[in-house]
Amino acid sequence: MSLLTNVMDHSLDDGYAEAAARKKADGSGGMPKTVRAKLGLAAGLVLAALVVTVGAAQARVAAPVVAKEREELVDRIEGETSAADKLEKSVDELRDDVNTRRREALEKSGDGDRTDLVGILSGAVEVHGPGVKLVVNDAKDTGTDADGRPRGTSGFSDTGRLRDRDMQRVVNGLWESGAEAISINGQRLTALSAIRAAGDAILVDNRPLVPPYTVLAVGDGARLSRGFQDSADGLYLHALEESYGIRTAISVADDLKLPAAPSVIVRTAQPITEKGTS
């Protein structure tokens, strides 16, 4: 109790008290004594007040300008987005028109069934049928694996995120298990499709995808699901789930609808016009 009483009675350290008393005795403490010092202090205070006042005035003047520029930028973004949507709609309409005209021309030549098959295999037309729906998502905690260790990778400093090479194995496993058509988040895969990475994002044909990744595969549903889960790539995905917390869910569907690929352009391959020549 005596210690607490002493602290309360002597809250100011004795050294500070002695220094204050010494400055007071010397006349060096407190407010400036000379007129020049007082004028200097007053000028400093006026200058500080002027700086604050000018800054506040400039902020008030600039606020409407900044708000106007932001509004113009938002309007520009919305306008460009609308224009892009219109162009995309126009592309879809032209693609549908080309497909319709091609089908009509081939029907006249009696080769319509072959065209349908080629369109399905190439990804140039929409398809539907039974198959499997596989949803893959990053781990809830993307920093460590199930034992608290960071997930080691050769190209990323990563954690529990699904990578492009993981998605490549998933797709290859579905093809190998009997899938006849595959799409990822609405992006139809073709023989020319590429699954790559840009930073942490997975790209399919240079279009970024956002998790969760929904993979639709048309085929014999039960057989396709069983074959994929028993394959090396299915077991690899299961290992990701067990070791790094990658979340997966696979189900058999009676009817899936897959869109056509945005564009199927062949630059190198040429059809054989005559037997033995190209």
Side-chain angles (χ1 to χ4, degrees):
M1 292 298 293
S2 61
L3 178 60
L4 294 177
T5 302
N6 183 55
V7 170
M8 293 297 295
D9 293 340
H10 302 86
S11 57
L12 182 63
D13 187 87
D14 294 338
Y16 287 108
E18 292 177 0
R22 189 164 53 251
K23 286 183 178 182
K24 186 176 181 180
D26 296 341
S28 59
M31 295 295 293
K33 303 300 183 181
T34 64
V35 176
R36 185 176 181 180
K38 291 180 180 180
L39 290 176
L41 178 60
L45 293 175
V46 170
L47 180 60
L50 181 61
V51 170
V52 173
T53 303
V54 171
Q58 289 181 345
R60 291 188 61 183
V61 172
V65 177
V66 173
K68 184 178 180 180
E69 291 178 349
R70 181 180 181 278
E71 185 177 353
E72 291 177 352
L73 181 59
V74 171
D75 292 340
R76 183 179 176 184
I77 293 173
E78 291 178 350
E80 294 295 337
T81 301
S82 177
D85 292 340
K86 290 180 180 179
L87 289 175
E88 186 173 357
K89 182 179 179 181
S90 177
V91 169
D92 292 338
E93 292 175 351
L94 290 174
R95 184 184 296 113
D96 293 340
D97 183 55
V98 170
N99 291 335
T100 301
R101 292 175 182 270
R102 180 177 57 188
R103 179 171 282 101
E104 291 175 353
L106 291 172
E107 284 177 354
K108 293 179 181 179
S109 65
D111 203 14
D113 293 340
R114 183 185 177 189
T115 302
D116 291 339
L117 177 59
V118 171
I120 291 174
L121 296 178
S122 65
V125 298
E126 295 182 356
V127 296
H128 75 94
V132 297
K133 177 181 179 181
L134 174 63
V135 180
V136 188
N137 200 355
D138 295 336
K140 291 183 179 180
D141 299 322
T142 57
T144 57
D145 64 12
D147 297 326
R149 298 186 301 267
R151 183 181 175 190
T153 62
S154 59
F156 302 93
S157 59
D158 166 292
T159 57
R161 294 187 180 91
L162 195 76
R163 293 304 185 187
D164 56 326
R165 61 179 178 277
D166 303 329
M167 185 60 70
Q168 290 170 3
R169 294 201 59 166
V170 169
V171 170
N172 290 335
L174 289 170
W175 285 127
E176 185 179 2
S177 301
E180 298 174 1
I182 299 177
S183 69
I184 306 175
N185 285 15
Q187 294 293 318
R188 179 75 174 275
L189 300 184
T190 70
L192 302 177
S193 294
I195 301 176
R196 294 289 183 266
D200 288 333
I202 296 178
L203 308 181
V204 173
D205 292 335
N206 294 324
R207 294 192 177 186
L209 304 181
V210 178
Y213 308 102
T214 301
V215 183
L216 303 181
V218 172
D220 185 343
R223 182 178 179 182
L224 179 58
S225 175
R226 183 171 57 254
F228 172 73
Q229 294 183 74
D230 292 339
S231 68
D233 297 310
L235 295 175
Y236 171 81
L237 184 60
H238 181 69
L240 294 182
E241 183 179 8
E242 291 292 326
S243 300
Y244 306 114
I246 297 294
R247 292 168 287 175
T248 65
I250 187 170
S251 59
V252 177
D254 295 331
D255 189 41
L256 298 173
K257 184 176 181 180
L258 276 62
S263 62
V264 182
I265 301 175
V266 179
R267 297 181 176 86
T268 305
Q270 298 292 332
I272 298 177
T273 55
E274 296 181 6
K275 186 175 181 180
T277 62
S278 59

